[in-house]
Amino acid sequence: MSHSPNPNDQNDQNPDPSRRSRSLSLPEFFFKEQALKHVILKMHHHHHHSNQSNQNNNHNNHSNHNRHISLSPTPSPPSSPEPTTDLTALVVDPPAPNPTSLLSDNVLNLIFSKLPVSQYPSNSLVCRRWLYLHGRLVQSLKLFDWSFLDSGRLFHRFPNLSDVDIVHACIRVPRNAGIIVTRKYFSVHLDSSLSRDRFVGEEDLLPSRVIDSGLKSLAESYPNLRRLVVIGASVDGLSSVAKECQLLQELDVIACGDLSLKGISGCMNLQIMKLIGFVDGFFGSVVSDIGLTILAQGCRRLVRLELCGCEGSYDGIKAIGQCCQMLEELTLSDHKMDGGWLAAVSFCGNLKILKVQSCKGSIDSRPGPDEHLGSCPALEALHLQRCQMRDKQAVRALFLVCRGVREIVLQDCYGLDDEVFGLATVCRRVRQLSLEGCSLLTVEGLESVILSWKDLQRLRVVSCNKIMDSAVTPALATLFSVLKELKWSPDSRSLLSSSLAETDLRKKGGRFFKSYKG
Amino acid sequence: MSNTSENPKPSSSSAKMTLKTSDNELFEVEEAVAMKFCTVKQYFEDEKDSDVAARGSTTVIPLPNVHSAVLATLISYGKKLPQSNAVADNHEEEETKKKERKKYEQGLLKNLMPGELLDLISAANYLDFKEGLEFFNQALADHIQNKSVEYVRKFFGIKNDYEPHEEEKYREEYAWAFEGVDED
């Protein structure tokens, strides 16, 4: 219904002058144009067909309008939207009877795109045309009901998806399950009938052939797919995705196992990948060196890789380092890697950020001799979150591999005492340090390291309870004064009590208890 | 309204053009403002390319799809926009101009009926008046943001063309089958 009539040739289609007794507003004018054409059509139709032809068109409203043919406009003020309904009772085809039908799809889409996505459901229920338009605007979706995909309604309703997450649809859960279990990076709805030792077991996942066939339809319907999150698929499903979706850039693969990764090797443009192998209490698939090597050889354009609950060792990491020359960010979460993997990180020639998260055991149980560790040439940042740092050999090996970093972030790491932190002096180029939740570290330990870092410019120390303001030495204070950026709030207790003092809460509490006792 | 204008000289900024609306009203508009209506600009440039004899006569540009009331509003909005050939103001002058424009915009929107707003959007689209289209689209979006289905239907005068069981099915799908994801 896109209208941009050429200003030149519209003049000869002006309506009969005798009917222009008053100036018409735009809606009425347009409807006269449309109505005129449709009336002529309808008059022809009336000779040959009965009125029944109207019923077939599902864009008509279903009210019982008297469908008499009228050529004169209903007199009423131009700004009210009501007058058009009588006129358009005779319209057989769309537009539906309302002033927004004047607006082309493009203009309506411009308006809709200014509204929040949360309003799309209610907007879609306004009328069919809006449902149609909104469906085409939605680009990113999380699926919860497998039959919505299976029946094809997903493709029909939303033809322009570029980002699809089918994980929750693949887990069989009763519809009104009121419990949400979140484990690290994964959350799922459950009901209360837990009879097994796992939250979600293999029996709760759809069989992989079902998931594969769903993936095949998905891939065929969305060749421009950019991001996909999938669970429990096998080679067939993943290879149909790789074949049809050449633009796929981001892929999250959960519980798919080593050999299924063969399917991904066709994804030439894949840049961001997240592989979740094993999650405690949930799935137990294995990703090992085999899978890592298959992945490395297939997706050489990887820029960001996250491995969660994956096994593997030196060989797997080496394959990744050697094949994925563009890899810039590597994250290992809850890793189950064999000892000795750290030494392979130096193969990642372009790696800028290394993140190790949720490491309960040692970071690397057998790092090997220093000469074989090498160092990661382009590394700029090292982030350790929720890691156990008692194994000094492992921590030292890690710092050696990362000796060129400029930024170190240590968050909620345990076992990080002064001696362990002292190992960080091997990194001579640190410009930025962030410490949060490191409860064993003292001022002495901190001082001995950061005074040796000549390039230090930014420091952040939050909630490190053993670091006392009173223990800050003059040397340290001088250093603080030359820093570009300093955030110093080590004592979380003092933070809490100072904010409480502002609210006068403590005092009130005291009074309350006093009177209660009495 | 005066009817004929002088021969428009492209180089002079005080040149005027005449626009004729669907109800045969004539508007004399400064060229700088009229050029913001890209449809007009295109028409004018096409005219320029055609033979010299035609150029000698006065150019009245017909806009048969735009009513005079609508065009008047669009022209006055166009005048308030920063002109492309204006001299660069210093910071203070720019601030005052911005404030004036905001006040004008608020006044404009306060008294608009829904039908009028739709007319303005439709006309701005036809005229390819980008700033006007953006402004009125935003005004409309702001108005219907977070409003219920019923309100939106009433506001636009849209009739619900769903069968009851269909609407139920769509509501059910929205509740259970999927979740649209907001762009970050």
Side-chain angles (χ1 to χ4, degrees), chain A residues 230-247:
Chain A
V230 58
I231 186 173
S234 75
V235 191
D236 297 328
L238 291 174
S239 43
S240 46
V241 171
K243 188 169 128 221
E244 306 283 345
C245 307
Q246 293 292 319
L247 299 179

Side-chain angles (χ1 to χ4, degrees), chain A residues 242-285:
Chain A
K243 188 169 128 221
E244 306 283 345
C245 307
Q246 293 292 319
L247 299 179
L248 193 67
Q249 283 188 319
E250 199 174 330
L251 182 61
D252 286 13
V253 172
I254 305 178
C256 290
D258 273 336
L259 297 174
S260 63
L261 293 174
K262 268 199 199 150
I264 300 183
S265 43
C267 292
M268 308 291 285
N269 287 318
L270 202 62
Q271 294 189 329
I272 303 175
M273 174 105 186
K274 183 166 171 176
L275 257 183
I276 301 181
F278 180 88
V279 181
D280 208 4
F282 289 80
F283 343 97
S285 77

